[in-house]
Amino acid sequence: MDATPSAESVLVWISDRDNWLMVFDNADGGYQVVEKFIPPGNGGSILITSRDQGLARITSGTCLEVTEMGEDEAIALLLKSAMIDNDSVNVATAAQKLIAALGCIPLAIDQVGAYVMSCGCGLDHYLELFMEYRARLMSDEDFRGASLYNKTTYGTWEISLEAIKCRAEGKNRAQSLAAQSALTLHKILAFLHHDNISEEIFKNAALNFMEREGEITDTLPQSISLLDSKTLFLNVDGKWDALQFEAGIRVLVSFSLIKSIGKLYSVHPLVQTWSRDR
């Protein structure tokens, strides 16, 4: 007889006790994965950290979004990571410029600090390097920063994109189509202004394209001739497919590659530069 307890028996054992704490850290597998490991009853507390906003549905709405660091916090992290104990005006100014370029992303800041500390270069010099060699610096495996995946800043986002690609090639048709839409959106969003991107932009582009479909292609800009129904989220009847567009948006939101507030979307500037640098 197998003496190893099953997950079900462990959950029952936990549910018979009080004042326990269960932590699901970095739970990105979806609410279905987490839900089946939650003990019955109300004897303890559960803490879930995740990029997937969909997990809020199993927390009775008790959730807190961790927003970007403030500038002062980001500068403090940079100086601590770089082991710079200098509060001069020049250092503060250089740190402020560098934080503006990084966009207050903790992982990127920690990675930069590791580079500055290891190489002994100043913040001003690193900023010059960053402007010219951004992609190489953010992908440098020698300076991984505080990534949970032991990856660089760009490497961490690559993991997310690869997961979406795997889903796009999967057997579940609905998930596959949603992931394909997400990949299409990811490419387009890299070249738009990073903030207040509306669904109407995509919808109007699709409708205008259909209105001009019968025109002679030689008279249209080359960029228009490269568009197709998949890129424009048109269904088989040539109509705007809001469901498929929103399915792609949900995938990108679940991987924290974009943020969504109603029908407005935003992409972190550094995520955009990574998308373009690929």
Side-chain angles (χ1 to χ4, degrees):
M1 180 177 179
D2 188 0
T4 304
S6 65
E8 291 79 7
S9 63
V10 172
L11 293 177
V12 171
W13 182 86
I14 293 174
S15 66
D16 288 336
R17 284 150 180 80
D18 295 321
N19 299 320
W20 47 263
L21 172 65
M22 180 175 288
V23 179
F24 294 89
D25 188 29
N26 197 35
D28 293 334
Y31 77 92
Q32 301 94 334
V33 176
V34 175
E35 193 172 38
K36 64 183 180 181
F37 291 110
I38 293 180
N42 300 306
S45 300
I46 299 173
L47 175 64
I48 303 172
T49 66
S50 177
R51 298 176 298 177
D52 189 352
Q53 296 179 355
L55 285 171
R57 64 187 299 175
I58 61 175
T59 64
S60 302
T62 308
C63 58
L64 176 66
E65 180 182 3
V66 180
T67 57
E68 289 183 2
M69 301 177 72
E71 183 182 87
D72 291 342
E73 292 177 298
I75 290 175
L77 175 61
L78 174 61
L79 298 181
K80 180 180 179 180
S81 180
M83 298 185 69
I84 296 176
D85 185 16
N86 187 331
D87 58 358
S88 69
V89 174
N90 289 340
V91 169
T93 301
Q96 190 174 34
K97 291 179 180 178
L98 193 48
I99 291 302
L102 296 171
C104 294
I105 294 180
L107 175 58
I109 294 169
D110 194 54
Q111 184 178 340
V112 170
Y115 185 100
V116 172
M117 186 273 292
S118 177
C119 298
C121 65
L123 297 180
D124 275 330
H125 180 62
Y126 183 90
L127 182 59
E128 293 176 4
L129 293 175
F130 181 81
M131 292 305 180
E132 186 169 356
Y133 305 107
R134 179 185 57 230
R136 287 169 59 183
L137 287 169
M138 291 289 96
S139 303
D140 193 333
E141 291 290 339
D142 288 336
F143 306 99
R144 295 185 176 92
S147 169
L148 178 66
Y149 303 106
N150 197 28
K151 294 289 184 180
T152 63
T153 303
Y154 276 16
T156 300
W157 292 329
E158 287 290 346
I159 290 175
S160 296
L161 198 61
E162 286 302 316
I164 296 174
K165 288 180 179 179
C166 287
R167 191 178 296 183
E169 297 170 357
K171 295 181 179 180
N172 184 304
R173 177 172 171 76
Q175 290 185 359
S176 175
L177 290 175
Q180 291 174 35
S181 296
L183 293 173
T184 299
L185 282 167
H186 171 258
K187 294 177 181 178
I188 297 173
L189 292 172
F191 296 94
L192 300 179
H193 186 273
H194 71 275
D195 203 13
N196 289 327
I197 304 168
S198 71
E199 181 178 328
E200 289 299 310
I201 293 175
F202 295 87
K203 182 178 180 180
N204 290 337
L207 296 178
N208 289 334
F209 177 81
M210 292 306 298
E211 289 177 1
R212 304 183 66 174
E213 186 181 25
E215 296 184 26
I216 301 174
T217 55
D218 291 342
T219 65
L220 297 176
Q222 183 180 7
S223 57
I224 294 180
S225 66
L226 296 175
L227 296 175
D228 55 28
S229 59
K230 181 179 179 181
T231 305
L232 293 167
F233 298 96
L234 298 171
N235 61 23
V236 292
D237 297 322
K239 297 180 180 179
W240 166 250
D241 194 337
L243 288 180
Q244 201 55 47
F245 174 85
E246 291 174 2
I249 288 291
R250 286 197 301 273
V251 172
L252 293 178
V253 169
S254 71
F255 282 93
S256 293
L257 292 176
I258 68 171
K259 287 187 176 181
S260 171
I261 302 178
K263 294 292 184 179
L264 293 178
Y265 314 107
S266 62
V267 190
H268 193 284
L270 194 57
V271 173
Q272 280 191 317
T273 56
W274 157 69
S275 301
R276 295 194 294 266
D277 287 341
R278 297 183 75 252

